[in-house]
Amino acid sequence: MIPRLALTPGEPAGIGPDITLAIAALDWDAEIVAIGDPALLRQRAQQLGLRIELTDFDPSAPPARHTAGSLPVAPVALAAPCVAGKLETANAGYVIATLEQAITGCLEGTFAALVTAPVQKSVINDAGIPFSGHTELLAERTGTPRVVMMLASDSLRVALATTHLPLRDVPDAITPALLEETLTIVDRDLRRQFGLEQPRIAVLGLNPHAGEGGHLGREELEVIIPTLDTLRERGLDLAGPLPADTAFNPKVLDDCDVVFAMYHDQGLPTLKYAGFGKAVNVTLGLPIVRTSVDHGTALDLAGSGKADASSLQAALRMAQQMAMSARATSRT
């Protein structure tokens, strides 16, 4: 199987087009289809001094391995001219349109996975389009009630119970229902999309020292531990709750497939320290495979030739592996 991967270049004024073109300059054991404006990619390639042949994407043709120096494009036109590094609100709708076309293609089976370059949330909102991020748009367009953010590097995976919440709101958000849903999604998708027969999940506590028997908070005793016990009865392999300050050590990590953190800055600083620029953002819980980079639009680097495509390369590799695993699982 040669998977066909949809790649959205993200914010046109950022480094998304740059790293998309850098990817096109490599050979891949998958077909990579950019969904965007061919004129933008052609202009940026000229600015970067890259010789990339842009071709029209033919969805009726069988997927073929990507050949360095070429790039099939499913065209979506910009609304206004784009200058590298300069945001333009008129093009906010273009960014959303590329994502919607990619999502539709994944749901219809044209694409085996979606890989996204970074978007600039501020300019989309400034254009009057309500937008809180890729993940929320994907959940809405696919009718998915609950998704889970997981970041992964070569040596570590971290999934999150909550994502972009103020810290004072996190304890109230950690409910038995939330933990049951999110941990079940993590377990299911590690089986389905990563091919793990019995995922081992290390669950962090919410409070320092995982509450220290109730002396440093009662969430562990009243919410987390009872919920983990319920899920263990359903067959999930869960360790914890573990103190977050000692969980990220080889003794724990060597014995688990993913660390499950209660909030954003509890789990991600360690992962990003270990693999920044080469980590992958994965959305679990969707009916499609979706991966993304671990960085932003880097407007100051757009068009300079200094953008690093390492995270996008990792995202494409992981999307390919996940798509193949999901297909193999669906056949069994």
Side-chain angles (χ1 to χ4, degrees), residues 70-143:
S70 66
L71 181 64
V73 181
V76 178
L78 285 168
C82 175
V83 177
K86 295 185 179 180
L87 296 172
E88 171 56 69
T89 56
N91 286 326
Y94 156 84
V95 175
I96 301 298
T98 63
L99 290 168
E100 291 185 333
Q101 183 166 318
I103 293 167
T104 299
C106 288
L107 291 172
E108 293 177 347
T110 303
F111 304 113
L114 168 60
V115 181
T116 59
V119 297
Q120 187 83 16
K121 297 177 188 177
S122 60
V123 73
I124 297 174
N125 287 308
D126 287 345
I129 302 173
F131 181 78
S132 54
H134 276 119
T135 303
E136 292 79 7
L137 179 68
L138 283 158
E140 178 189 344
R141 295 295 190 268
T142 60

Side-chain angles (χ1 to χ4, degrees), residues 121-310:
K121 297 177 188 177
S122 60
V123 73
I124 297 174
N125 287 308
D126 287 345
I129 302 173
F131 181 78
S132 54
H134 276 119
T135 303
E136 292 79 7
L137 179 68
L138 283 158
E140 178 189 344
R141 295 295 190 268
T142 60
T144 306
R146 175 81 69 187
V147 295
V148 177
M149 177 188 291
M150 183 177 79
L151 267 73
S153 67
D154 290 340
S155 59
L156 179 62
R157 300 185 187 102
V158 175
L160 302 178
T162 64
T163 53
H164 301 121
L165 283 181
L167 197 55
R168 68 172 61 247
D169 296 337
V170 171
D172 289 339
I174 303 298
T175 64
L178 174 96
L179 293 178
E180 285 188 27
E181 284 186 281
T182 50
L183 282 165
T184 299
I185 288 170
V186 172
D187 177 78
R188 183 197 67 200
D189 280 4
L190 286 178
R191 296 171 188 266
R192 182 170 62 95
Q193 297 181 344
F194 288 83
L196 300 178
E197 292 185 6
Q198 183 67 53
R200 175 76 164 165
I201 304 172
V203 181
L204 303 185
L206 173 66
N207 295 296
H209 301 180
E212 203 165 282
H215 295 287
L216 294 176
R218 298 194 59 81
E219 286 83 2
E220 284 77 13
L221 293 176
E222 297 175 358
V223 177
I224 299 174
I225 292 174
T227 304
L228 298 189
D229 288 340
T230 298
L231 291 172
R232 290 186 183 107
E233 292 175 358
R234 298 178 188 172
L236 274 67
D237 189 354
L238 306 172
L242 306 174
D245 63 338
T246 56
F248 292 96
N249 69 74
K251 184 176 179 180
V252 174
L253 299 179
D254 290 348
D255 192 41
C256 75
D257 297 299
V258 61
V259 175
F260 185 82
M262 292 294 149
Y263 55 93
H264 187 279
D265 282 13
Q266 184 186 51
L268 296 192
T270 300
L271 183 135
K272 291 193 175 186
Y273 174 78
F276 189 76
K278 296 182 180 179
V280 179
N281 188 340
V282 182
T283 306
L284 304 178
L286 295 170
I288 65 175
V289 171
R290 182 262 175 159
T291 66
S292 188
V293 296
D294 70 345
H295 57 74
T297 55
L299 296 168
D300 58 322
L301 297 179
S304 69
K306 298 178 181 179
D308 186 352
S310 297

